[in-house]
Amino acid sequence: DAGVTQSPTHLIKTRGQQVTLRCSPKSGHDTVSWYQQALGQGPQFIFQYYEEEERQRGNFPDRFSGHQFPNYSSELNVNALLLGDSALYLCASSSFLQAARFGPGTRLTVT
Amino acid sequence: AQRVTQPEKLLSVFKGAPVELKCNYSYSGSPELFWYVQYSRQRLQLLLRHISRESIKGFTADLNKGETSFHLKKPFAQEEDSAMYYCALGEYGNKLVFGAGTILRVKS
C-alpha cells in the first residue's frame, strides 16, 4: 500500500488562474481532508469529504472547493488564485477510529 | 475556540539528553491529542495518539486534562530524532487543529 498519494508534486500558476489538486487515500480509508500549510506554520484545515459530501469546512473562502469520487479519491479546486494561496497543500485520509495519515503534499506557487 | 499552542519554535539538545516538547491546548470537550513528526524531506507522520498510550521510538506523551497539556518526552535524545514536531487536537470527524510546530535539533 503506497499510502496517501497526491499529484502533482509541484505546480506554478499565475494570479487569477484556477488549479486542481488530486489525492488518493490510503487503502481502507473513506474520509479525505485537505490542509493548507504556509511556510513556517502548522497545517490549517480547509475541508473534509465523506461519502462524496463536504462534511466540515474550515475558515477558507468559497474559492476553495472540492470533490470526492465514489472510489474515495478527492480533488481540491482553487479559483481566482491569489499570491497568498502559495503554500503546501496536504491531503489526509482516515476512517472511523483510524488516525489521519498524510500524503506528501503539493507545493503550489502563485506568481 | 479550539487552539493548540507549542511555545518553542526551536529546541536544541545534546545527544543523550532528555527531551520535552511542550504542547498546550484549549478545548471545551474531551480532546483527542496527537503528535505528528516530519523528518527532513519526508511526509508528516503520526508519532503518537493519546488514546493508544503507546511508546513510539522511545517517545511518550501523557494527557494532563488539569493543565490542558500533552507534552512529548523522551529520556535520551538521538540524532535521528531531529525533525519538526507538531501537536494536534482532533475534533469531531477527525478534523485536526495543529500547533505551529517545534523544530527539535539534536546535537552530537
Side-chain angles (χ1 to χ4, degrees), chain A residues 44-81:
Chain A
Q44 300 290 316
F45 176 77
I46 302 175
F47 45 52
Q48 182 182 85
Y49 278 84
Y50 173 71
E51 292 189 339
E52 301 180 51
E53 291 192 1
E54 184 181 290
R55 181 160 72 175
Q56 295 184 80
R57 190 178 183 90
N59 189 25
F60 279 81
D62 292 344
R63 297 186 298 107
F64 289 77
S65 63
H67 190 78
Q68 185 179 36
F69 299 95
N71 66 352
Y72 308 119
S73 67
S74 177
E75 289 181 350
L76 163 66
N77 300 293
V78 187
N79 295 321
L81 284 166

Side-chain angles (χ1 to χ4, degrees), chain B residues 11-32:
Chain B
L11 183 64
S12 190
V13 302
F14 283 102
K15 178 182 171 181
V19 172
E20 184 178 47
L21 298 171
K22 291 183 168 52
C23 172
N24 288 90
Y25 66 90
S26 62
Y27 187 64
S28 56
S30 294
E32 186 170 17

Side-chain angles (χ1 to χ4, degrees), chain B residues 62-75:
Chain B
D62 289 320
L63 179 60
N64 186 322
K65 292 186 178 181
E67 295 183 359
T68 60
S69 69
F70 188 56
H71 302 328
L72 184 68
K73 300 177 183 179
K74 185 171 182 176

Side-chain angles (χ1 to χ4, degrees), chain A residues 14-49:
Chain A
T14 304
R15 274 182 302 174
Q17 287 188 317
Q18 178 264 346
V19 69
T20 297
L21 311 182
R22 296 177 176 82
C23 170
S24 290
K26 178 180 166 63
S27 178
H29 285 181
D30 56 10
T31 302
V32 173
S33 302
W34 288 92
Y35 293 82
Q36 181 193 66
Q37 186 173 22
L39 204 59
Q41 297 182 23
Q44 300 290 316
F45 176 77
I46 302 175
F47 45 52
Q48 182 182 85
Y49 278 84

Side-chain angles (χ1 to χ4, degrees), chain A residues 2 4 35 37 40-43 45 48 55-56 90 94-95 97-104, chain B residues 9 32 34 36 38 43-46 49 51 86 91-101:
Chain A
V4 181
Y35 293 82
Q37 186 173 22
Q41 297 182 23
F45 176 77
Q48 182 182 85
R55 181 160 72 175
Q56 295 184 80
L90 298 172
S94 59
S95 61
L97 298 181
Q98 296 285 317
R101 307 289 175 161
F102 283 81
Chain B
K9 278 194 172 298
E32 186 170 17
F34 303 83
Y36 281 84
Q38 188 165 33
R43 68 181 66 191
L44 205 55
Q45 304 173 29
L46 178 67
R49 186 177 185 182
I51 61 171
Y86 291 100
E91 298 187 8
Y92 170 77
N94 296 316
K95 168 189 170 181
L96 293 170
V97 176
F98 284 86

